[in-house]
Amino acid sequence: TQLLEQSPQFLSIQEGENLTVYCNSSSVFSSLQWYRQEPGEGPVLLVTVVTGGEVKKLKRLTFQFGDARKDSSLHITAAQPGDTGLYLCAGGSQGNLIFGKGTKLSVKP
Amino acid sequence: NAGVTQTPKFQVLKTGQSMTLQCAQDMNHNSMYWYRQDPGMGLRLIYYSASEGTTDKGEVPNGYNVSRLNKREFSLRLESAAPSQTSVYFCASTQAGGGRRSGTYEQYFGPGTRLTVT
């Protein structure tokens, strides 16, 4: 069974701080996606990475796919209250997605 | 475009009652999915339909049935609800029609149905 473990599970920081969340597995994935979910809504895709070592930037968010395609990280620079939400990673496997349990981020003004 | 719509938004059932959760997408996507989300458990796949006319079990299919009514609509039925089925249910769709690379396609999610079984 393929599993994706996310850490930390919860993170509470002040506006302006930097943070990194991690998504790890013992399995290789063909792709890795990051979603953000706000309370009462469905997840929304932030990025997809498909190549080992790939780095993608989305404004203040930097996503990295591990060289072996088993892990990924999300780094947020100068976090803002609008970044608050549940961050989910999802690995592509045999046509479907396997989701991690998520990191719940709270950014306080 | 409405994207992915789900009805109802909220539902309370008594143990043993049945109900159908409806999902529709207007993006002409081939594949559709039903997930449940529980605290501390993440999103778990219940059933999926890689294309119109096909359905397959996911990680947690017991107690559920699905129907891919047409390309737009994918319904989830609980025949005899149990308290363990209390959860938030999400429908999603994606352009891909299955296959190894379909996991690289963006999944679009509906707003969810919050179901409580007492």
Side-chain angles (χ1 to χ4, degrees):
Chain A
T1 302
Q2 293 180 298
L3 292 173
L4 280 166
E5 297 199 7
Q6 291 190 242
S7 61
Q9 192 174 356
F10 300 97
L11 190 56
S12 181
I13 61 172
Q14 293 296 129
E15 182 176 2
E17 292 184 16
N18 301 332
L19 67 114
T20 302
V21 298
Y22 300 92
C23 176
N24 296 301
S25 176
S26 58
S27 304
V28 175
F29 288 95
S30 58
S31 65
L32 207 297
Q33 297 183 344
W34 285 91
Y35 289 77
R36 180 167 66 207
Q37 183 179 18
E38 299 189 18
E41 299 182 7
V44 176
L45 181 71
L46 295 173
V47 76
T48 301
V49 286
V50 296
T51 305
E54 183 176 2
V55 176
K56 281 193 174 179
K57 292 192 174 183
L58 185 66
K59 296 183 181 178
R60 293 176 293 101
L61 279 60
T62 302
F63 305 85
Q64 184 161 9
F65 200 12
D67 290 341
R69 290 185 291 133
K70 293 183 179 181
D71 53 81
S72 181
S73 64
L74 159 59
H75 181 79
I76 301 179
T77 303
Q80 298 177 1
D83 295 325
T84 292
L86 179 68
Y87 289 81
L88 295 161
C89 67
S93 175
Q94 298 179 338
N96 291 325
L97 289 178
I98 295 171
F99 283 84
K101 295 179 181 180
T103 293
K104 194 167 185 179
L105 172 65
S106 174
V107 182
K108 297 178 180 175
Chain B
N1 287 350
V4 179
T5 57
Q6 291 183 238
T7 57
K9 281 198 165 184
F10 301 93
Q11 183 71 50
V12 179
L13 291 177
K14 293 185 178 179
T15 298
Q17 288 185 318
S18 62
M19 77 162 295
T20 300
L21 282 66
Q22 306 286 355
C23 173
Q25 53 89 10
D26 62 3
M27 296 172 283
N28 202 35
H29 285 171
N30 291 314
S31 299
M32 297 184 74
Y33 306 81
W34 276 106
Y35 295 91
R36 61 178 289 173
Q37 187 174 39
D38 303 290
M41 298 296 292
L43 281 162
R44 292 183 291 170
L45 183 63
I46 305 171
Y47 270 93
Y48 66 99
S49 171
S51 61
E52 187 179 355
T54 68
T55 60
D56 285 289
K57 295 178 181 179
E59 181 186 354
V60 289
N62 291 345
Y64 305 96
N65 285 302
V66 290
S67 295
R68 184 74 183 266
L69 305 169
N70 47 56
K71 192 170 186 179
R72 290 187 63 247
E73 298 172 288
F74 189 37
S75 63
L76 177 72
R77 182 160 179 82
L78 287 70
E79 289 292 350
S80 179
S84 60
Q85 293 178 306
T86 293
S87 187
V88 182
Y89 292 84
F90 288 100
C91 177
S93 69
T94 188
Q95 180 182 1
R100 287 185 60 206
R101 283 195 60 78
S102 63
T104 62
Y105 287 84
E106 174 177 5
Q107 289 197 8
Y108 291 80
F109 285 81
T113 293
R114 283 142 190 83
L115 175 66
T116 301
V117 183
T118 61

